[in-house]
Amino acid sequence: MTPPGTVLLEARDLSVGYDRPLLRGLNLQLVAGRVTTLLGPNGAGKSTVLRALGESRLRLAGRVWQRPGFRLGLLAQTADGQIELPLNGRELLALTGASPAGLPPWLSACLDWRLDRLSGGQLQYLRFWSIAAAPFDCLCLDEPGNNLDARGLAALRAWLQAPPHGRAVVLVTHDASLVDAARQDVIRIAP
Amino acid sequence: MNVDLLFDPLFRLPFLTGLLLAAWLPVLGLYLRLRGEWLAVLGVAQLASAGALGGAVLGVPAVLGGAGAGVLAALAKWGLKLSRDSAYAAMLLLGWAAAVGVMSNHPLAEHAARAVFDGQLYFTGGGHLAAALAVLGVGAAVLIRAHRALMRARVHPALGPPGDGVRLAFDLVVGASVGVAILSLGVMATFALAFVPAWRVFGTAPSWRAALRRAVAIGLIAYVAGFALALVLDQPFGPAGVAAVLAGAWLAPPWRGLAGGASGTR
């Protein structure tokens, strides 16, 4: 396990985007054991930053250093791929090597259900868990609170207050209660 | 109608060849459907049929010509990185035009054409069985290793697409399998076995493992029924096989109640 405080990724003067930069001059350091929250309005490029951490083609300028063997897990906002697919929760977790141990009881009971038979909130928390409990060094969570009810949000807040040791977390959210729960490094992004 | 034919040792080898393919094609069909590439079977099958006919004209064994053309089609798709549906539609048209062109101008291609389009399973020999065993063995090994990458690309696309090696290996398995299958079962029976069972179970099976089991079960039951029907009625396997696969899928239990959760919540 990576010791807490270890720098896992460092970005300097990073510009990200597709045909042209959406965001310029971002400096970012991801440290094991810390949660970094990206805040900003819709369209500011927060999700693109998350993707760019894993996809070099989205980095248009700047430098990114990664610790050797660095593995990045990214939870995307949408779950289109899980619709109309004969896959149950247990199989979803196995795909990323995530352990079901630690899942809230209200979700453990549904692990043998098809993903498209779960409610939107159940599916969202299971998707989150399939990344959060997998052996990644950095967990990039793009709007993990989408579709979650009060019970799901409470479980997510509890997880953010004590994230796994040895891993860096990057959180993108508009939910103030999740920002408060993370309470660590905050980067504000302006378009 | 001659029921005794069912027990004639002459047809044991063809039966076994078809049985292997009937178990394998539904599995391949599930992964193709997972990747949104179910049309690939038809596109590759048409190109492979043109290859088999071309091979017959040049004196190459048909099963080698078909498998070779299927592999070449897979390589072209992989190398050119064509958008999926467009690539398969182009393969389908190109393969059909080439096959009809060869068939119309070379008498030697006519016999091979009957095997490809009618599905002359009963005239297959040891070479076909060996080829079916090879694609099943190699294909199963590839899918066992590629399963996680292929599935993750669908459910967690943000984690990245499968590597080039995985994609190439999968495409080659599809090309070779379809190329071998059309020479035994015929183009449309091959397509039916790859498409229909996967389509039938995709929306209802409670898990991927269950989907694999059910698709293979539909394929095998339908194949045995189609084989017996064609033999007893003295018909080519292709049309009987397609009819049996469609009937098997229609008669298969709905299974929806076992999928878990509150139906219709999503």
Side-chain angles (χ1 to χ4, degrees):
Chain A
M1 191 177 72
T2 310
T6 305
V7 177
L8 298 174
L9 180 146
E10 190 159 12
R12 291 274 166 234
D13 286 327
L14 184 64
S15 292
V16 301
Y18 298 90
D19 298 333
R20 56 187 177 78
L22 266 174
L23 183 71
R24 297 171 200 269
L26 177 70
N27 293 310
L28 183 70
Q29 192 179 60
L30 303 182
V31 177
R34 291 197 69 81
V35 180
T36 302
T37 306
L38 302 183
L39 293 178
N42 291 333
K46 304 183 296 297
S47 298
T48 309
V49 170
L50 291 193
R51 288 186 59 193
L53 295 179
E55 290 182 53
S56 55
R57 68 184 179 90
L58 299 179
R59 303 172 195 158
L60 303 182
R63 288 182 297 115
V64 174
W65 173 86
Q66 295 177 351
R67 194 166 185 260
F70 176 79
R71 290 163 302 172
L72 184 136
L74 171 56
L75 175 70
Q77 279 188 38
T78 53
D80 295 341
Q82 283 101 355
I83 295 168
E84 273 294 305
L85 181 68
L87 192 75
N88 66 27
R90 216 173 287 283
E91 290 172 326
L92 175 72
L93 297 184
L95 289 178
T96 53
S99 165
L103 266 176
W106 48 268
L107 202 49
S108 300
C110 311
L111 278 179
D112 292 319
W113 294 7
R114 270 177 70 110
L115 299 182
D116 53 8
R117 301 291 187 270
L118 296 173
S119 71
Q122 287 170 324
L123 176 60
Q124 175 65 5
Y125 201 90
L126 199 59
R127 290 178 65 240
F128 155 72
W129 195 258
S130 73
I131 297 295
F136 293 115
D137 300 300
C138 176
L139 311 172
C140 294
L141 309 176
D142 196 353
E143 299 284 5
N146 280 353
N147 291 326
L148 294 185
D149 61 9
R151 186 175 56 173
L153 281 170
L156 186 54
R157 279 194 296 271
W159 185 89
L160 283 169
Q161 282 163 357
H165 294 296
R167 300 191 197 168
V169 178
V170 188
L171 172 68
V172 167
T173 184
H174 295 285
D175 186 315
S177 74
L178 296 181
V179 180
D180 288 344
R183 278 186 308 171
Q184 291 186 353
D185 308 322
V186 174
I187 296 176
R188 292 181 190 281
I189 292 176
Chain B
M1 186 181 293
N2 187 352
V3 178
D4 291 341
L5 283 175
L6 290 174
F7 307 101
D8 191 327
L10 189 65
F11 296 116
R12 280 184 195 156
L13 206 63
F15 176 76
L16 199 56
T17 302
L19 197 69
L20 290 175
L21 293 169
W24 173 237
L25 289 171
V27 174
L28 209 54
L30 274 174
Y31 282 91
L32 285 165
R33 195 167 187 88
L34 172 76
R35 291 173 55 71
E37 294 183 335
W38 57 267
L39 191 58
V41 177
L42 215 45
V44 173
Q46 286 293 352
L47 267 189
S49 61
L53 303 194
V57 170
L58 297 172
V60 177
V63 72
L64 277 184
V71 165
L72 285 178
L75 279 173
K77 170 185 165 285
W78 179 82
L80 295 173
K81 300 196 187 322
L82 296 168
S83 78
R84 292 180 293 198
D85 286 347
S86 310
Y88 303 138
M91 283 181 192
L92 203 158
L93 294 170
L94 186 67
W96 174 81
V100 173
V102 173
M103 191 175 64
S104 306
N105 290 290
H106 293 274
L108 279 174
E110 276 193 37
H111 177 70
R114 274 193 76 81
V116 165
F117 295 116
D118 294 359
Q120 297 289 11
L121 178 60
Y122 310 111
F123 302 107
T124 56
H128 293 82
L129 178 61
L133 270 171
V135 292
L136 197 155
V138 174
V142 165
L143 281 188
I144 287 168
R145 284 169 178 77
H147 168 80
R148 193 182 272 208
L150 295 175
M151 191 67 88
R152 268 166 55 151
R154 164 77 183 254
V155 299
H156 277 308
L159 295 179
D164 274 358
V166 169
R167 214 166 53 83
L168 175 62
F170 179 73
D171 284 345
L172 288 177
V173 164
V174 172
S177 300
V178 171
V180 168
I182 61 163
L183 265 302
S184 305
L185 306 173
V187 168
M188 294 316 285
T190 296
F191 177 61
L193 279 165
F195 172 73
V196 176
W199 164 62
R200 179 66 181 80
V201 305
F202 225 73
T204 54
S207 65
W208 187 256
R209 200 175 280 262
L212 286 169
R213 281 197 303 266
R214 291 171 184 187
V216 170
I218 291 175
L220 287 176
I221 292 168
Y223 166 73
V224 172
F227 186 92
L229 191 69
L231 203 56
V232 167
L233 298 178
D234 193 22
Q235 294 293 310
F237 174 77
V242 169
V245 172
L246 287 170
W250 184 61
L251 292 171
W255 288 313
R256 185 171 289 276
L258 304 176
S263 184
T265 52
R266 274 182 58 84

